[in-house]
Amino acid sequence: MNDRNEGLQKFRDGVKELGISLTEDQYGQFLLYYDMLTEKNKVMNLTAITEFDEVVEKHFLDSLSLCKVSDLDREIRVLDLGTGAGFPGIPLKIAFPKIRLVLADSLNKRILFLREVLKALSLETVSAIHARAEELAENREYREQFDLCVSRAVANLSTLSEYCLPFVKTGGQFISYKSGEVEDEAEKAGHAIRLLGGKLEEIYRFQLNENSRSFVRIVKKKKTPGAYPRKAGTPSRSPL
């Protein structure tokens, strides 16, 4: 129990450092999310990180760090693409309830779990959908309908841009969570970003305890050509 208390204090300190104000009810939602995550993880591979203090640092605080580069305390439409176990989307929704969130993942088992979490946490204006990015981007309800698309998915920036930028409306943003060393990757993705209608606006570097992290912020300048994203699997096999 002491470990949990220490972890919770670490979480409170980290939240305060980010300039975020959470109620006790919101902290309670995070704790319930953690409990559901670790319980489900016993029968399904959701995360390799299960110790409370590590989940706090590497999932919760890392997810919430987005507030360093984006104003989230407003009614914007946000897509978390390749959400996995719900990161960064669910922590963002708990902390910034005004956002209208869509969680998307290609594995239905994850989506079923996330729907359980959303119900248990009584989160509103949020949905979890089972879909591949390549197929979802053909749906008019989702294509170029979001103010912000975020992803912590592990893929190179060219591939992620092809998956994510088609969902962002002109004037909106795609923000990719990355490790600290991202300059070379960003440079190689330049052609893809421009082709897809985006412009690399900023690489924001920061430290999360011992971990070096970055946000790559891409602004959507014009519509993405209808040919993108290419058919299923192509963006990852053959980046632009």
Side-chain angles (χ1 to χ4, degrees):
M1 196 61 181
N2 285 340
D3 288 346
R4 179 112 160 191
N5 288 340
E6 285 173 21
L8 187 54
Q9 189 56 52
K10 181 178 174 181
F11 188 28
R12 289 179 186 275
D13 292 343
V15 164
K16 188 176 178 182
E17 204 172 298
L18 287 170
I20 299 170
S21 179
L22 296 181
T23 65
E24 288 308 309
D25 283 348
Q26 285 169 305
Y27 279 113
Q29 287 176 308
F30 274 106
L31 292 175
L32 179 52
Y33 179 26
Y34 170 78
D35 288 340
M36 292 183 75
L37 177 70
T38 49
E39 188 60 33
K40 181 63 79 172
N41 206 61
K42 292 174 184 174
V43 294
M44 181 181 156
N45 184 26
L46 287 166
T47 175
I49 299 165
T50 55
E51 294 300 321
F52 184 67
D53 61 336
E54 279 200 88
V55 170
V56 160
E57 180 186 330
K58 294 177 181 175
H59 285 326
F60 292 170
L61 291 174
D62 187 64
S63 294
L64 295 176
S65 297
L66 187 72
C67 69
K68 292 172 177 279
V69 291
S70 184
D71 176 11
L72 298 160
D73 192 22
R74 56 199 177 112
E75 287 185 32
I76 54 172
R77 198 166 184 216
V78 180
L79 172 65
D80 176 8
L81 196 65
T83 185
F87 304 115
I90 289 180
L92 292 174
K93 180 62 183 174
I94 294 171
F96 302 100
K98 290 179 188 174
I99 65 172
R100 288 174 289 129
L101 177 68
V102 174
L103 304 164
D105 199 87
S106 60
L107 193 64
N108 197 41
K109 284 194 296 185
R110 292 190 196 121
I111 292 299
L112 294 175
F113 163 69
L114 294 176
R115 287 174 183 162
E116 290 174 18
V117 172
L118 299 179
K119 188 176 179 182
L121 272 53
S122 301
L123 294 174
E124 297 175 351
T125 62
V126 52
S127 59
I129 53 175
H130 171 230
R132 290 187 69 104
E134 301 95 331
E135 291 150 11
L136 194 63
E138 293 177 6
N139 187 325
R140 287 183 184 179
E141 283 184 46
Y142 298 99
R143 190 177 183 94
E144 300 192 315
Q145 296 299 310
F146 293 89
D147 303 287
L148 174 64
C149 180
V150 293
S151 185
R152 282 212 321 169
V154 179
N156 72 65
L157 194 58
S158 295
T159 300
L160 281 176
S161 296
E162 185 171 356
Y163 284 140
C164 294
L165 278 171
F167 295 100
V168 180
K169 60 173 70 168
T170 303
Q173 300 183 101
F174 160 45
I175 301 178
S176 176
Y177 286 68
K178 287 288 183 182
S179 65
E181 302 303 315
V182 74
E183 283 75 15
D184 187 46
E185 186 180 338
E187 191 176 326
K188 286 177 181 171
H191 168 70
I193 292 166
R194 289 188 295 274
L195 183 64
L196 296 158
K199 183 190 175 192
L200 179 57
E201 198 76 9
E202 175 186 22
I203 295 175
Y204 180 90
R205 298 167 200 80
F206 65 101
Q207 287 293 125
L208 193 59
N209 289 331
E210 289 82 45
N211 297 307
S212 181
R213 302 288 284 148
S214 297
F215 287 115
V216 180
R217 189 163 66 86
I218 296 165
V219 175
K220 185 77 169 274
K221 293 293 186 180
K222 58 184 180 181
K223 287 194 165 213
T224 300
Y228 303 104
R230 291 164 293 167
K231 64 183 180 182
T234 308
S236 51
R237 278 198 311 272
S238 180
L240 291 168

